[in-house]
Amino acid sequence: MADRCFGQAVAGGVDLTHISDSDIIPDPECSEAMPTEGLHVDNRTKSSSMMDQADKENYDLPALSDLMLEDRSSDDNSESQKRTGSLTNYTSSTDLRAPTNIPARQHDLLDDEEVVRMAKEEGRVAVVFPGRVTQDSCCKIVCEILKCVLYQRQQLPMMYDQLVYYQKKQQAAGRVEDAVGWQAARPGGWDWRKCQRTLQDLDEVMLHLQDLFSLSRVPRVLLMLGGSVVLPTELYEVDMEALAAGMGDGFLRTAPCLRQLFRALFVADILSDARPVRLMATTVMALAHRDCGVDWFRPKLDYRVPARVKRQIISLSSDPALSHRPTTQAWEDYVWFQAPISIKGFCK
Amino acid sequence: MTGIVEGDSMEVIEDVKQGQNNCIDAVNIHVEVHVKSHSTAKREDVKLHVLALLNRHRIVFGNYSWTEFDEEFLAKHVESVSIVDAERQQIDLRSCCLSMYIFTLHDDGPSTLNLEEAEDLSAAHHWLLPSAEFHGIWESLVYENGVKTQLLDYVSTMIFFSDKNVDSNLVAWNRVVLLHGPPGTGKTSLCKALAQKLSIRLLNRYSYSQFVEINSHSLFSKWFSESGKLVTKMFQKIQQLIDDKETLVFVLVDEVESLTAARNAAQAGTEPSDAIRVVNAVLTQLDQIKRHSNVVILTTSNVTEKIDLAFVDRADIKQYIGPPSTDAIFNIYLSCLEELMKCQIIYPRQQLLTMYELETMGFQESNVSERSLAVQKIAAKSRGFSGRALRKIPFLAHALFVKTPKVTLERFLQAMDQAVSQQIEEKANLVNCV
């Protein structure tokens, strides 16, 4: 029984490494998470044996989240069963799929099809995390989505972290050649000053997002590319209303959440477009509590999300068994805040 | 709410038109409440506090603005409370209908609308209203015979008719305003100010207003026969904005003669046929757009005789904006001097009388009216100057004839007089050269 579980977990692990190899997330956190992968496997065996003791309250969250990744297919019902139900439930569901890996794979494919269908028809990518997430993680997730959108929508010539790395290298080199004059500013056809400005703006926005997330719950974030805030060219929404967030212990770690999210984004394929995109300014807006006291963001009390623009929604939620979805009244005192600077895209 | 407001007749009416319906005999007073941009206070709370403030100051005389507040809430959240566009008489707020408009300014600058083909050239600038950039223009523009109120009333009626679903086949209106007149008389500024004013007035009707300024030159293509298509594309963009029924869209076509040059000129062979296509495209697009209730097209021109007749015919209001009258010049100078006294360039501060006050005194020379009469003399001397020229006179006076950081009002008025004489001379020289 423990063996079967282990085998499945490895299958999930393969899937995961495949994703992380596909270079969607060059997040430092993920690379930091990589070496611990072996540890995860240990945990998994441990946790499955722990499951025998029906100790479902204190299960190891990260390990389970990895397991969950593979079972993501299951509808809410069976997922909640797994989390809240007894051990017998858990074993039976594993047993059903355990004999060979094929059914599980098919299930996985079906799930992917569903993700693709939702992305195509509703413009929505739904990601259900198997637990609660800290506010800090929410912020990191939003920042990663922002970086990813900027790169995928051709506003940055390479991934953010690569760009930071190259820029640092460039600065180190530039300091030596400073005397040469301003022409040194664009070696290799790069306008490093523009690059620097974009990165500075992006960093500032992310820094202040961190502030905002520490001051208030943020149920929604809008990323608007081009046009104006009333009629953007492209609109991406991160919906975290149903995400059980908070601070303290017993929360999912960020890295597995990011992996799960980016896998879903990768499968749903909402960001890639073969057509070249012009350079645009990106504006970030966030819904936060009116009395949260943030001063960098500008409150826009009358703002309504533009309805006539096609928007892609990335909806993050916690497993419904863990949290009850807050009623709409709970968000009454939440107003939109707009970042006072916009991030201007640049290319080589 | 009535608990806070003593006196039963003082009630807040949400909408201009509604106000007129509800209390026909009572005077309608517009109160604009400018909320600070970082404030997150609920609009209802702001309204309650402003009502309490108005309740403490029941008698006002004409337009009045509060910018400093004793109350903590108002000081924290509200920039100013103004009673605007009121008759010049004593007003008892208790016997009036109050229309309160609570707004914040959008402080981000214009964004650009691009047409796909024209790579970097922006086809139009786009503002969200009320915008910080346009704030205060309305007050700074001085015209006689109620030009401003007339325009305001025109657009209010237009929106009122649309709301009442008046059949536009029977009672027609075209949503086009044409302002014409010599350069420097504030036509473009008036358009911007009008849009700003209306965006505040109709806040309860439309949650946003947008202002689109078309760069007409960008609509002409280097490719033959493409210009007409660019016009169509431009209007399609505008259509996208209009499609949102919650917003009011102002479209400004500055120097409209470039888009609607008279077609009969083309028959003489002096105009390429592509230009005719542009005129045709503009006319048909205008007809398309006027079906929508939430759009106003504002146009300006210096050379009306060059505009195509079919376009002139479509304009509902063809308002001539001429050079300012002596009274208007006096008001312009007064506002300039007030500003300089506020900035302490003219020091010490001295009271200047308004035209109305001078009139009631019968232009009698006295200690109080002495300086105001001097201003009036300069105003009379500078008749024929455009608004743009008038607003730079104080600047020129300081630059050419004052040259010290602080100056008394008497000395400055002398300098202004000299500056005006110099301007007249320069103008004469210019004519002589020609």
Side-chain angles (χ1 to χ4, degrees):
Chain A
M1 162 46 222
D3 267 350
R4 272 178 194 165
C5 248
F6 180 58
Q8 246 202 321
V10 171
V14 170
D15 218 313
L16 278 176
T17 43
H18 164 71
I19 287 299
S20 42
D21 278 349
S22 73
D23 199 33
I24 302 182
I25 1 160
D27 181 42
E29 258 221 79
C30 288
S31 46
E32 163 228 281
M34 288 302 266
T36 55
E37 206 69 68
L39 235 157
H40 274 219
V41 178
D42 282 355
N43 273 347
R44 253 172 236 134
T45 38
K46 215 191 289 170
S47 71
S48 48
S49 62
M50 262 157 66
M51 286 289 181
D52 285 334
Q53 295 153 19
D55 189 2
K56 55 181 164 47
E57 290 301 318
N58 300 323
Y59 55 73
D60 187 342
L61 274 166
L64 193 75
S65 76
D66 281 354
L67 273 173
M68 288 314 299
L69 238 181
E70 199 229 350
D71 293 312
R72 206 179 336 95
S73 54
S74 35
D75 50 323
D76 290 347
N77 221 349
S78 68
E79 266 193 22
S80 59
Q81 265 182 351
K82 234 168 291 150
R83 216 84 25 67
T84 55
S86 66
L87 173 74
T88 45
N89 255 334
Y90 185 76
T91 33
S92 67
S93 73
T94 338
D95 266 343
L96 269 175
R97 270 179 283 148
T100 57
N101 257 343
I102 299 155
R105 275 249 159 262
Q106 271 179 353
H107 213 103
D108 216 23
L109 279 175
L110 255 181
D111 177 49
D112 286 353
E113 274 168 25
E114 174 68 12
V115 169
V116 172
R117 189 198 63 77
M118 269 179 83
K120 280 243 165 63
E121 288 173 14
E122 300 168 31
R124 178 186 286 272
V125 183
V127 183
V128 181
F129 294 131
R132 295 190 294 168
V133 181
T134 59
Q135 278 287 93
D136 196 36
S137 296
C138 285
C139 177
K140 278 189 186 133
I141 289 169
V142 168
C143 289
E144 287 306 321
I145 292 176
L146 173 61
K147 289 177 197 170
C148 176
V149 166
L150 284 176
Y151 170 65
Q152 295 272 320
R153 300 310 298 144
Q154 305 169 28
Q155 303 301 310
L156 295 178
M158 51 171 82
M159 292 293 306
Y160 170 79
D161 300 86
Q162 268 178 306
L163 214 50
V164 171
Y165 171 73
Y166 277 117
Q167 205 223 345
K168 278 204 182 119
K169 225 167 92 177
Q170 189 60 41
Q171 271 179 347
R175 227 165 268 143
V176 187
E177 297 162 22
D178 237 1
V180 183
W182 65 275
Q183 278 194 333
R186 29 188 336 159
W190 280 69
D191 191 341
W192 285 102
R193 255 172 296 200
K194 256 189 185 168
C195 168
Q196 201 174 356
R197 204 195 54 201
T198 303
L199 287 180
Q200 267 171 2
D201 288 351
L202 181 56
D203 284 340
E204 198 176 350
V205 169
M206 291 198 293
L207 194 74
H208 287 284
L209 272 177
Q210 223 169 345
D211 269 1
L212 185 69
F213 272 86
S214 68
L215 289 167
S216 161
R217 270 230 44 197
V218 181
R220 275 163 200 274
V221 173
L222 294 181
L223 310 176
M224 289 178 284
L225 277 70
S228 62
V229 289
V230 192
L231 195 76
T233 318
E234 292 178 28
L235 174 59
Y236 300 92
E237 179 175 339
V238 186
D239 177 357
M240 294 174 281
E241 270 185 21
L243 197 63
M247 283 171 225
D249 298 326
F251 289 95
L252 295 176
R253 293 181 333 127
T254 317
C257 291
L258 279 175
R259 249 172 285 160
Q260 189 186 342
L261 166 71
F262 279 99
R263 188 183 186 284
L265 282 183
F266 180 72
V267 171
D269 197 30
I270 54 165
L271 293 174
S272 61
D273 189 350
R275 279 175 301 172
V277 184
R278 61 158 67 241
L279 289 179
M280 302 180 275
T282 304
T283 313
V284 178
M285 288 190 89
L287 200 62
H289 195 275
R290 74 163 71 231
D291 298 327
C292 69
V294 71
D295 54 358
W296 189 74
F297 287 88
R298 301 258 175 281
K300 299 279 169 196
L301 267 62
D302 306 315
Y303 185 75
R304 285 167 308 113
V305 180
R308 316 208 121 257
V309 186
K310 188 176 164 245
R311 68 177 144 162
Q312 303 281 6
I313 302 173
I314 302 166
S315 73
L316 310 176
S317 55
S318 289
D319 191 6
L322 275 168
S323 64
H324 60 283
R325 200 186 162 90
T327 50
T328 40
Q329 284 168 350
W331 305 123
E332 251 179 19
D333 265 330
Y334 282 71
V335 293
W336 285 106
F337 285 85
Q338 184 184 342
I341 57 170
S342 57
I343 305 154
K344 284 160 203 80
F346 91 103
C347 61
K348 290 197 214 184
Chain B
M1 199 178 319
T2 41
I4 293 170
V5 181
E6 304 157 43
D8 296 340
S9 53
M10 188 162 164
E11 50 180 326
V12 176
I13 303 299
E14 296 289 336
D15 200 279
V16 193
K17 291 293 166 187
Q18 191 189 338
Q20 286 177 1
N21 281 348
N22 283 3
C23 31
I24 292 159
D25 336 318
V27 188
N28 201 21
I29 296 293
H30 303 286
V31 183
E32 291 182 358
V33 182
H34 176 188
V35 177
K36 287 183 180 170
S37 70
H38 61 75
S39 158
T40 54
K42 283 187 185 146
R43 296 292 195 241
E44 296 86 64
D45 294 344
V46 174
K47 192 188 257 181
L48 285 179
H49 282 91
V50 171
L51 275 180
L53 171 86
L54 294 180
N55 211 33
R56 287 196 295 275
H57 308 269
R58 281 185 199 154
I59 311 287
V60 287
F61 190 83
N63 292 352
Y64 191 79
S65 182
W66 290 269
T67 47
E68 275 162 25
F69 307 99
D70 301 331
E71 200 189 343
E72 197 185 333
F73 181 90
L74 289 176
K76 191 178 168 203
H77 294 284
V78 177
E79 195 83 53
S80 70
V81 176
S82 320
I83 290 171
V84 292
D85 305 304
E87 294 288 319
R88 211 184 278 277
Q89 63 190 26
Q90 186 166 310
I91 302 162
D92 184 359
L93 290 178
R94 272 176 306 175
S95 64
C96 299
C97 265
L98 290 187
S99 306
M100 199 185 288
Y101 315 100
I102 301 171
F103 65 96
T104 43
L105 296 178
H106 293 271
D107 44 11
D108 25 34
S111 56
T112 52
L113 288 180
N114 292 299
L115 302 178
E116 268 89 297
E117 264 86 277
E119 301 86 35
D120 286 330
L121 195 62
S122 68
H125 290 282
H126 175 241
W127 281 268
L128 278 180
L129 296 180
S131 153
E133 222 175 304
F134 298 166
H135 192 60
I137 301 182
W138 181 262
E139 286 74 27
S140 76
L141 292 173
V142 184
Y143 298 105
E144 60 262 61
N145 306 333
V147 171
K148 289 201 291 186
T149 13
Q150 204 184 325
L151 283 171
L152 205 56
D153 288 344
Y154 164 72
V155 183
S156 308
T157 309
M158 199 176 81
I159 284 152
F160 180 59
F161 268 45
S162 303
D163 281 356
K164 290 277 175 198
N165 282 325
V166 175
D167 188 344
S168 58
N169 287 326
L170 300 175
V171 180
W173 65 101
N174 282 302
R175 310 180 172 281
V176 179
V177 176
L178 172 64
L179 302 180
H180 60 98
T185 46
K187 297 180 293 296
T188 313
S189 302
L190 182 58
C191 289
K192 289 179 174 168
L194 182 68
Q196 173 96 337
K197 195 79 187 168
L198 282 163
S199 72
I200 294 171
R201 279 293 161 83
L202 299 167
L203 215 56
N204 303 311
R205 172 75 178 70
Y206 295 102
S207 47
Y208 307 108
S209 302
Q210 301 173 56
F211 188 81
V212 181
E213 182 176 2
I214 297 180
N215 299 334
S216 17
H217 56 265
S218 69
L219 297 179
F220 286 91
S221 169
K222 62 185 168 190
W223 306 109
F224 193 69
S225 89
E226 279 296 305
S227 309
K229 286 176 197 157
L230 281 179
V231 172
T232 311
K233 261 195 198 125
M234 179 74 241
F235 276 92
Q236 270 168 1
K237 273 266 163 171
I238 294 168
Q239 183 71 47
Q240 274 184 0
L241 296 174
I242 299 170
D243 280 342
D244 186 355
K245 288 295 163 208
E246 287 288 296
T247 106
L248 179 61
V249 182
F250 296 92
V251 181
L252 170 63
V253 190
D254 216 354
E255 318 292 349
V256 73
E257 68 272 1
S258 66
L259 270 186
T260 57
R263 281 174 291 185
N264 50 10
Q267 286 163 358
T270 53
E271 200 77 46
S273 59
D274 212 29
I276 303 183
R277 294 199 188 104
V278 171
V279 180
N280 291 346
V282 169
L283 292 177
T284 47
Q285 290 300 328
L286 280 182
D287 285 343
Q288 289 282 323
I289 247 179
K290 76 172 185 192
R291 289 180 294 130
H292 299 274
S293 58
N294 55 337
V295 63
V296 182
I297 297 159
L298 306 163
T299 58
T300 72
S301 176
N302 292 334
V303 268
T304 24
E305 62 272 22
K306 265 200 170 172
I307 304 177
D308 196 82
L309 268 182
F311 178 81
V312 176
D313 193 44
R314 273 170 177 77
D316 293 333
I317 284 199
K318 296 173 268 284
Q319 179 68 52
Y320 174 75
I321 308 286
S325 67
T326 315
D327 285 12
I329 294 173
F330 179 83
N331 280 332
I332 289 171
Y333 280 160
L334 209 60
S335 68
C336 290
L337 290 169
E338 287 290 341
E339 177 66 21
L340 288 175
M341 285 195 272
K342 203 177 106 195
C343 302
Q344 298 196 338
I345 290 170
I346 297 176
Y347 193 84
R349 193 185 187 98
Q350 276 171 316
Q351 182 67 39
L352 285 171
L353 302 174
T354 61
M355 203 60 183
Y356 177 76
E357 285 161 337
L358 275 180
E359 258 169 45
T360 43
M361 291 172 73
F363 297 99
Q364 290 276 316
E365 190 123 1
S366 71
N367 282 344
V368 196
S369 67
E370 186 186 359
R371 284 173 294 274
S372 306
L373 285 171
V375 177
Q376 206 226 350
K377 235 176 250 161
I378 302 172
K381 191 171 164 189
S382 28
R383 254 199 88 99
F385 281 21
S386 73
R388 195 182 283 145
L390 287 170
R391 289 232 176 247
K392 70 183 180 202
I393 291 285
F395 174 83
L396 288 175
H398 193 277
L400 300 175
F401 305 106
V402 175
K403 295 172 189 167
T404 52
K406 275 208 171 91
V407 62
T408 58
L409 183 61
E410 284 78 15
R411 175 77 195 86
F412 194 81
L413 288 179
Q414 278 173 20
M416 268 176 74
D417 192 53
Q418 282 172 289
V420 171
S421 311
Q422 199 220 19
Q423 284 292 304
I424 294 171
E425 205 176 305
E426 266 181 21
K427 221 172 159 183
N429 284 342
L430 205 64
V431 175
N432 289 342
C433 290
V434 173

